[in-house]
Amino acid sequence: TTTTTTTITTTTPSPPQQDARDPAQLPVASMEVNEQCLRFFNCGMYYTDEQLELLEMGLARDALPDRLAFFQECLRLRRRARNMWQDTPLAKIFTAAEEWHLLSSRAKLEQVRKAIASAVKQRQLDPYDAFEFFDEQKSGALSYDNMQRALARMRLGFAPKDYYEIARVLDSERSGRISLERFREAFHLPSQEEMLSRQQRTPLVLQAGTIIEDLARQFSTWSCPECSLINSTLEDICVACGTGSGGKRRCPHDMWECDHCHFFNELKDYYCQACDWAKPNINASKF
């Protein structure tokens, strides 16, 4: 007797595949990740901690330099009014987690860097003059205190504590001093020779190290009631803290004060460089 055995193979039907093009079939988490990625593509800079986590999920396969390069190109093409991201929550997306504690200082450094570039262009500021003015020993390096004074002398609109914090950031070697070369690199300055050629200085300015110092001694001075810095009578506000001779903080004549955060901005700026608040009389401005 021959027994024939028949094997029956059953196949469990697979669930219907989802159509990735149909948003209604996507998981909620995926939709939220996609939303934050679209905000990133649209140059959004302000996110909550939860939104940053979702955006990190969406960009997990992209290296930090690639993320930054893509975002900066989007900013360039879209021509946003605000293009500074260093002081926004988005900065964490471009920075390793172990360096997040440095974000605030780096943001201030970037703000000062842009302020110096603007002052060089608008007011023919020479940052090297400020550096050399406080390099009393002609050593080619400044202490934290003297670097703070040099930055304050440029009248960029920041608080003295911000300048001191920046001085500490510039000292990457923790030597207690900032060299002239480090100063030039950190603020993206051209060489001194190029600066001289660009600004087409007069002989009087070329001899700033001697002539201007001699002239400055001929003017009387006043002591700031807020920080005790000695100012020339040619300055109606303290160059270090912005306090007037009457004891109240005043905005320089060539800047405007933000109603929201009280940051001093260049007159050409229509939005505050610190908080993105609109200029008080922007409605009356002609574009």
Side-chain angles (χ1 to χ4, degrees):
T1 304
T2 304
T3 304
T4 303
T5 304
T6 304
T7 304
I8 301 176
T9 304
T10 59
T11 304
T12 304
S14 58
Q17 295 184 350
Q18 294 181 345
D19 186 357
R21 296 170 298 178
D22 184 4
Q25 296 185 8
L26 290 175
V28 176
S30 298
M31 290 290 293
E32 293 176 346
V33 169
N34 293 341
E35 178 184 359
Q36 302 312 317
C37 289
L38 288 174
R39 291 184 59 201
F40 179 81
F41 178 71
N42 196 42
C43 302
M45 301 184 189
Y46 294 92
Y47 301 80
T48 63
D49 291 341
E50 181 180 355
Q51 291 170 341
L52 282 176
E53 291 180 2
L54 294 171
L55 180 58
E56 178 64 36
M57 292 172 58
L59 302 177
R61 297 184 179 181
D62 300 304
L64 299 182
D66 295 338
R67 300 178 187 180
L68 179 57
F70 175 82
F71 186 77
Q72 288 181 329
E73 184 66 9
C74 289
L75 280 177
R76 185 185 68 83
L77 296 175
R78 295 181 185 276
R79 300 182 179 179
R80 295 302 193 201
R82 179 183 175 87
N83 56 19
M84 184 173 177
W85 52 265
Q86 288 86 348
D87 59 346
T88 69
L90 183 64
K92 291 184 177 180
I93 293 296
F94 307 128
T95 309
E98 58 269 19
E99 297 181 2
W100 283 0
H101 65 285
L102 300 174
L103 288 177
S104 176
S105 300
R106 290 177 178 176
K108 291 178 182 177
L109 176 60
E110 181 64 20
Q111 290 176 348
V112 172
R113 180 184 295 138
K114 291 190 174 184
I116 290 177
S118 177
V120 169
K121 182 178 180 180
Q122 301 295 330
R123 297 190 278 121
Q124 287 73 51
L125 171 72
D126 186 354
Y128 292 111
D129 279 349
F131 187 99
E132 293 172 355
F133 185 86
F134 289 98
D135 185 12
E136 300 173 351
Q137 299 179 354
K138 308 303 177 185
S139 62
L142 296 180
S143 64
Y144 292 171
D145 290 338
N146 282 337
M147 177 57 70
Q148 179 188 26
R149 296 187 180 99
L151 293 173
R153 183 180 176 82
M154 300 181 198
R155 298 180 60 182
L156 303 174
F158 295 83
K161 64 178 181 179
D162 294 331
Y163 294 136
Y164 193 85
E165 182 177 349
I166 290 172
R168 293 179 61 87
V169 173
L170 294 180
D171 183 19
S172 56
E173 298 180 356
R174 297 295 182 268
S175 63
R177 299 179 67 81
I178 299 95
S179 67
L180 180 62
E181 181 63 21
R182 173 58 178 157
F183 176 75
R184 185 189 67 80
E185 292 178 352
F187 294 113
H188 300 172
L189 300 176
S191 65
Q192 290 179 282
E193 293 76 12
E194 184 179 348
M195 184 78 74
L196 290 171
S197 175
R198 179 185 301 180
Q199 296 183 352
Q200 296 180 351
R201 297 181 174 185
T202 63
L204 174 62
V205 181
L206 288 174
Q207 300 173 18
T210 57
I211 297 178
I212 293 182
E213 290 180 4
D214 292 338
L215 291 175
R217 296 190 186 98
Q218 300 177 15
F219 296 102
S220 59
T221 59
W222 59 277
S223 176
C224 175
E226 180 68 22
C227 67
S228 302
L229 182 72
I230 302 301
N231 297 270
S232 169
T233 52
L234 296 178
E235 303 286 351
D236 56 356
I237 63 173
C238 178
V239 297
C241 66
T243 302
S245 56
K248 295 183 179 180
R249 189 167 181 262
R250 296 172 54 186
C251 181
H253 299 299
D254 56 349
M255 308 185 83
W256 61 272
E257 182 177 0
C258 175
D259 292 338
H260 185 251
C261 69
H262 303 291
F263 180 76
F264 293 161
N265 298 271
E266 299 284 344
L267 291 178
K268 66 180 182 63
D269 296 328
Y270 292 103
Y271 294 90
C272 178
Q273 294 299 304
C275 69
D276 213 23
W277 198 260
K279 194 176 182 179
N281 58 346
I282 191 173
N283 293 331
S285 301
K286 293 183 179 180
F287 297 91

